[in-house]
Amino acid sequence: MLAISSKAVRLPRALTHSKRALHDLTILPSGKAAVQQGPPGVARFLGRYVVAKLAKAGSQVIIPYRDEDEKRHLKVLGDLGQIVPLEWDLRRPDQIEECLRHSDTVYNLVGRDYETSNYSYDDVHVRGASDIASIAAQNGVDKFVHVSHLNASHDSPSAFYRSKAMGEERVKDAFPTAMIVRPATMFGAEDKFLNNMAIWPIWWKLNHMQTKVRPAHVLDVAQALANTFTMAPIPGTFNLPGPSTLTYDYLLALVSTITYNPVSGAPTMPKRVALALSSLAQNVWWPLISPDEVERRYIDDATVPGDWATFGVVPDEIEEHAITYLRRYRSADNFSRPVVFPASRETSSVSPPACPPC
């Protein structure tokens, strides 16, 4: 969660340092205080960019944290004294209140894309979000911005998406004028999207690579959130999908084209095999794909219109930025070679261009 006031801004960071994640962060643009709660996940990725944009606008940001090492990279995003770390716990209402009680705007970016023995999806996305919204309302916060997901749905086969939908309802009950923002899967420098495709393409060949997604640039989403700093509260739900609908087939070809690495020749893994392997992977302590993540690889992104205009942002296409984030996977010989994008977004099994002669 993140809180900002006209006098000070506080940015919350990862709530828990768990074995896998990165996304618990919240920012408030009113200048009072900013707090984040929850296990690592969305906040660490999206949150750093929101914090940077709010700090650049002159706000003071409070960063809630659980681990000393989890907040260091945010300290340099603002001037001296502008980024204020504040220790907290998602299950401690008194600590949440301490972070929010001087704020007039709160951004809840707390979330996680996998469950652990300490935090389930409901703990973070439902109960955690509800507690933050309730405490914000009790302390007179003027604006509450809750970040959910484009595919949030009560009927989804994914527990992650179901918890996101339930969290939205709880937030609306606790804070009726809340702004619910639903970004699609985001790509950026430290994403788990393009980078993961470059390293583990086999996990993106599920569903025969025909799953349709609408990836959004993390900087566009961060700008949209930061723009709410100067906006009057607009109750409602706002969708932020990328400008184009693409298949995993096209995206894997795009990654191969940019990196000049051959398209993976691994066969498509049957769903039941992928679920079994991902279940076994939960027995190790380092981050690995979870069964719910496998389930999500079979779910198309929602076909809803985007609400970018509400925030004054025009989203960029993934091809405009992919080389920035993928060039690192090229060999030294190919590092400076030009990019020739796949011929058609509609064609399956697109082959990348052959590596130009030296």
Side-chain angles (χ1 to χ4, degrees):
M1 173 186 64
L2 188 157
I4 300 175
S5 93
S6 52
K7 301 177 180 178
V9 176
R10 297 187 173 185
L11 167 71
R13 244 202 64 63
L15 174 75
T16 305
H17 183 77
S18 95
K19 64 181 181 183
R20 211 189 277 181
L22 50 78
H23 80 275
D24 321 53
L25 178 62
T26 308
I27 302 177
L28 298 180
S30 51
K32 289 182 181 178
V35 178
Q36 169 191 355
Q37 350 189 8
V42 169
R44 184 170 183 180
F45 177 42
L46 171 61
R48 69 176 62 192
Y49 298 107
V50 179
V51 172
K53 291 181 180 297
L54 289 174
K56 186 176 181 179
S59 299
Q60 183 183 29
V61 180
I62 297 175
I63 305 173
Y65 70 93
R66 290 285 301 274
D67 189 308
E68 285 286 344
D69 294 333
E70 287 290 305
K71 59 180 173 53
R72 292 180 177 178
H73 67 285
L74 298 173
K75 192 72 174 177
V76 297
L77 298 181
D79 292 334
L80 184 64
Q82 192 175 10
I83 307 298
V84 183
L86 188 61
E87 188 172 9
W88 76 300
D89 190 301
L90 183 60
R91 294 191 173 109
R92 290 283 301 275
D94 57 323
Q95 291 185 346
I96 297 176
E97 181 175 10
E98 177 62 24
C99 293
L100 298 179
R101 63 193 181 93
H102 298 299
S103 304
D104 46 38
T105 304
V106 172
Y107 294 74
N108 179 26
L109 282 68
V110 179
R112 72 175 319 119
D113 54 11
Y114 61 89
E115 295 182 295
T116 66
S117 57
N118 293 322
Y119 286 96
S120 66
Y121 291 133
D122 286 347
D123 288 336
V124 180
H125 302 150
V126 182
R127 286 182 285 275
S130 176
D131 289 345
I132 296 172
S134 296
I135 293 171
Q138 294 167 11
N139 283 269
V141 170
D142 297 329
K143 188 188 306 179
F144 190 89
V145 181
H146 176 72
V147 177
S148 183
H149 194 284
L150 183 69
N151 294 334
S153 171
H154 292 289
D155 302 323
S156 176
S158 165
F160 173 85
Y161 292 147
R162 293 196 301 271
S163 66
K164 284 291 188 178
M166 181 61 71
E168 291 179 4
E169 288 193 354
R170 294 288 186 86
V171 167
K172 291 176 183 177
D173 290 341
F175 205 108
T177 60
M179 297 176 66
I180 309 296
V181 179
R182 289 178 164 183
T185 298
M186 292 171 280
F187 63 90
E190 1 26 10
D191 67 19
K192 295 177 65 178
F193 189 64
L194 290 178
N195 287 290
N196 198 267
M197 286 186 179
I199 299 172
W200 295 104
I202 188 173
W203 290 107
W204 298 91
K205 301 185 77 172
L206 299 175
N207 197 27
H208 299 282
M209 302 176 287
Q210 294 309 301
T211 302
K212 298 176 181 179
V213 292
R214 308 171 71 185
H217 194 195
V218 66
L219 291 178
D220 291 335
V221 177
Q223 189 61 62
L225 292 175
N227 287 351
T228 61
F229 180 87
T230 57
M231 294 170 56
I234 308 176
T237 300
F238 305 90
N239 300 302
L240 299 182
S244 298
T245 300
L246 309 171
T247 63
Y248 287 156
D249 189 4
Y250 174 83
L251 290 167
L252 286 170
L254 174 66
V255 170
S256 180
T257 298
I258 292 176
T259 61
Y260 281 105
N261 294 321
V263 177
S264 171
T268 299
M269 191 184 304
K271 185 176 182 180
R272 59 184 178 183
V273 174
L275 288 171
L277 291 176
S278 60
S279 295
L280 290 174
Q282 304 314 296
N283 295 319
V284 300
W285 64 267
W286 58 86
L288 290 175
I289 191 169
S290 69
D292 196 79
E293 288 178 278
V294 170
E295 194 68 57
R296 278 174 259 157
R297 301 282 164 88
Y298 288 80
I299 301 174
D300 291 341
D301 278 353
T303 55
V304 294
D307 298 305
W308 295 96
T310 302
F311 306 99
V313 175
V314 178
D316 291 337
E317 297 284 0
I318 193 170
E319 291 91 346
E320 297 177 42
H321 301 280
I323 190 171
T324 303
Y325 308 128
L326 294 173
R327 188 189 292 271
R328 71 181 98 175
Y329 298 105
R330 290 183 172 189
S331 66
D333 290 339
N334 294 326
F335 194 79
S336 300
R337 294 191 185 281
V339 176
V340 180
F341 292 113
S344 172
R345 292 181 169 192
E346 307 302 326
T347 303
S348 298
S349 302
V350 180
S351 298
C355 179
C358 297

